Coordinates of all heavy atoms in Angstrom, one line a residue:
A181 N 128.5 58.8 218.6 CA 129.8 58.9 219.3 C 130.9 59.5 218.4 O 131.8 60.1 218.9 CB 130.2 57.5 219.7
N182 N 130.8 59.3 217.1 CA 131.8 59.8 216.1 C 131.1 60.5 215.0 O 130.5 59.8 214.2 CB 132.6 58.6 215.6 CG 133.1 57.7 216.7 OD1 134.2 57.9 217.3 ND2 132.5 56.6 216.9
A183 N 131.4 61.8 214.9 CA 130.8 62.5 213.8 C 131.4 62.1 212.5 O 130.7 62.1 211.4 CB 131.0 64.0 214.0
D184 N 132.7 61.8 212.5 CA 133.4 61.3 211.3 C 133.9 59.9 211.6 O 134.4 59.6 212.6 CB 134.6 62.2 211.0 CG 134.2 63.6 210.6 OD1 133.4 63.8 209.7 OD2 134.6 64.6 211.3
S185 N 133.7 59.0 210.6 CA 134.2 57.7 210.7 C 135.0 57.2 209.5 O 134.8 57.8 208.4 CB 133.0 56.7 210.9 OG 132.3 57.0 212.0
K186 N 135.8 56.2 209.6 CA 136.5 55.6 208.6 C 135.8 54.2 208.2 O 135.1 53.7 209.0 CB 138.0 55.3 209.0 CG 138.7 56.6 209.3 CD 140.1 56.3 209.8 CE 140.9 57.6 210.1 NZ 142.3 57.3 210.6
P187 N 136.1 53.7 207.0 CA 135.5 52.5 206.6 C 135.7 51.3 207.6 O 134.8 50.6 207.9 CB 136.2 52.2 205.3 CG 136.5 53.5 204.7 CD 136.9 54.3 205.9
E188 N 136.9 51.3 208.2 CA 137.2 50.2 209.1 C 136.4 50.4 210.4 O 136.0 49.4 211.0 CB 138.7 50.2 209.5 CG 139.1 49.2 210.5 CD 138.8 47.7 210.0 OE1 138.9 47.5 208.8 OE2 138.5 46.9 210.9
N189 N 136.1 51.6 210.8 CA 135.2 51.8 211.9 C 133.8 51.2 211.7 O 133.3 50.5 212.5 CB 135.0 53.3 212.2 CG 136.3 54.0 212.5 OD1 136.5 55.2 212.1 ND2 137.2 53.4 213.2
L190 N 133.3 51.4 210.5 CA 131.9 50.9 210.2 C 132.0 49.4 210.1 O 131.0 48.7 210.5 CB 131.5 51.4 208.8 CG 130.6 52.7 208.9 CD1 131.4 53.9 209.5 CD2 130.1 53.1 207.5
N191 N 133.1 48.8 209.7 CA 133.3 47.4 209.7 C 133.3 46.8 211.1 O 132.7 45.8 211.4 CB 134.6 47.0 208.9 CG 134.6 45.5 208.6 OD1 133.6 44.8 208.4 ND2 135.9 45.0 208.7
Q192 N 134.0 47.5 212.0 CA 134.0 47.1 213.4 C 132.6 47.2 214.0 O 132.2 46.4 214.8 CB 135.0 47.9 214.2 CG 136.4 47.5 213.8 CD 137.5 48.4 214.5 OE1 137.1 49.3 215.2 NE2 138.7 48.1 214.3
F193 N 131.9 48.3 213.7 CA 130.5 48.5 214.2 C 129.6 47.4 213.8 O 128.8 46.9 214.6 CB 129.9 49.8 213.7 CG 130.6 51.1 214.1 CD1 130.4 52.3 213.4 CD2 131.4 51.1 215.2 CE1 131.0 53.4 213.8 CE2 132.1 52.3 215.6 CZ 131.9 53.4 214.9
A194 N 129.8 46.9 212.6 CA 129.0 45.8 212.1 C 129.2 44.5 212.9 O 128.3 43.8 213.3 CB 129.3 45.5 210.6
T195 N 130.5 44.2 213.3 CA 130.8 43.0 214.1 C 130.2 43.2 215.5 O 129.6 42.3 216.0 CB 132.3 42.8 214.1 OG1 132.8 42.6 212.8 CG2 132.6 41.5 215.0
L196 N 130.4 44.4 216.1 CA 129.9 44.7 217.4 C 128.4 44.5 217.4 O 127.8 43.9 218.3 CB 130.3 46.0 217.9 CG 131.8 46.3 218.1 CD1 132.1 47.7 218.3 CD2 132.2 45.5 219.4
G197 N 127.7 45.2 216.5 CA 126.3 45.2 216.4 C 125.7 43.8 216.2 O 124.7 43.4 216.8
S198 N 126.4 43.0 215.4 CA 125.9 41.6 215.1 C 126.0 40.8 216.3 O 125.1 40.0 216.6 CB 126.8 41.0 214.0 OG 126.3 39.8 213.6
Y199 N 127.1 40.9 217.1 CA 127.3 40.2 218.4 C 126.1 40.6 219.3 O 125.6 39.7 220.0 CB 128.6 40.5 219.0 CG 129.7 39.5 218.7 CD1 130.3 39.4 217.4 CD2 130.1 38.6 219.6 CE1 131.3 38.5 217.1 CE2 131.1 37.6 219.3 CZ 131.7 37.6 218.1 OH 132.7 36.7 217.8
Y200 N 125.8 41.9 219.4 CA 124.8 42.3 220.3 C 123.4 41.7 219.9 O 122.7 41.2 220.8 CB 124.7 43.8 220.3 CG 123.7 44.4 221.3 CD1 124.1 44.8 222.6 CD2 122.4 44.6 220.9 CE1 123.2 45.3 223.5 CE2 121.4 45.0 221.8 CZ 121.9 45.4 223.1 OH 121.0 45.9 224.0
A201 N 123.1 41.8 218.6 CA 121.8 41.3 218.2 C 121.7 39.8 218.4 O 120.6 39.3 218.8 CB 121.6 41.6 216.7
Q202 N 122.8 39.1 218.2 CA 122.8 37.6 218.4 C 122.7 37.2 219.9 O 121.9 36.4 220.2 CB 124.0 37.0 217.7 CG 124.0 35.5 217.8 CD 125.2 34.9 217.0 OE1 125.9 35.6 216.3 NE2 125.3 33.6 217.1
F203 N 123.6 37.8 220.7 CA 123.7 37.2 222.0 C 122.9 38.0 223.1 O 122.6 37.4 224.1 CB 125.2 37.2 222.5 CG 126.0 36.3 221.6 CD1 126.9 36.8 220.7 CD2 125.9 34.9 221.8 CE1 127.7 35.9 219.9 CE2 126.7 34.1 221.0 CZ 127.5 34.6 220.1
V204 N 122.5 39.2 222.8 CA 121.6 39.9 223.8 C 120.2 39.8 223.3 O 119.3 39.6 224.2 CB 122.1 41.4 223.9 CG1 121.1 42.2 224.8 CG2 123.5 41.5 224.4
R205 N 119.9 40.0 222.0 CA 118.5 39.9 221.6 C 118.1 38.6 221.1 O 116.9 38.4 220.8 CB 118.3 41.0 220.4 CG 118.5 42.4 220.9 CD 118.3 43.5 219.8 NE 117.1 43.3 219.1 CZ 117.0 43.4 217.8 NH1 118.0 43.7 217.1 NH2 115.8 43.2 217.2
G206 N 119.0 37.7 221.0 CA 118.7 36.3 220.6 C 118.4 36.0 219.2 O 117.6 35.1 218.8
I207 N 118.9 36.8 218.2 CA 118.7 36.7 216.8 C 119.8 35.8 216.2 O 120.9 36.2 216.2 CB 118.6 38.0 216.1 CG1 117.5 38.9 216.7 CG2 118.3 37.8 214.6 CD1 117.4 40.3 216.2
Q208 N 119.4 34.7 215.6 CA 120.4 33.9 214.9 C 120.7 34.5 213.5 O 119.8 34.8 212.8 CB 119.9 32.4 214.7 CG 119.6 31.7 216.0 CD 120.9 31.6 216.9 OE1 122.0 31.3 216.3 NE2 120.8 31.9 218.2
K209 N 122.0 34.6 213.2 CA 122.5 35.2 212.0 C 121.8 36.5 211.7 O 121.1 36.7 210.6 CB 122.2 34.2 210.8 CG 123.1 33.0 210.8 CD 123.1 32.2 209.5 CE 123.7 33.0 208.4 NZ 123.8 32.3 207.1
P210 N 121.9 37.5 212.5 CA 121.3 38.8 212.3 C 121.7 39.4 210.9 O 122.9 39.3 210.6 CB 121.8 39.6 213.5 CG 123.0 38.9 214.0 CD 122.8 37.5 213.7
R211 N 120.8 40.0 210.2 CA 121.1 40.6 209.0 C 121.7 42.0 209.2 O 121.1 42.8 209.9 CB 119.8 40.8 208.2 CG 119.0 39.4 207.9 CD 117.6 39.7 207.5 NE 116.9 40.3 208.6 CZ 115.8 41.1 208.5 NH1 115.3 41.3 207.3 NH2 115.2 41.6 209.5

């Protein structure tokens, strides 16, 4: 979606991805 990213973008991606892994895929404390 973004060819160029800033550090804060990657930090937000981490939170978004962690929520997805936990609540959609059912992984507790995703790494």
Side-chain angles (χ1 to χ4, degrees):
N182 309 279
D184 296 303
S185 297
K186 297 177 181 179
E188 181 57 34
N189 301 142
L190 269 60
N191 192 34
Q192 291 177 353
F193 295 162
T195 302
L196 291 167
S198 187
Y199 265 73
Y200 184 93
Q202 183 175 353
F203 295 107
V204 179
R205 295 179 52 221
I207 301 173
Q208 296 301 315
K209 289 193 69 176
R211 300 162 299 155

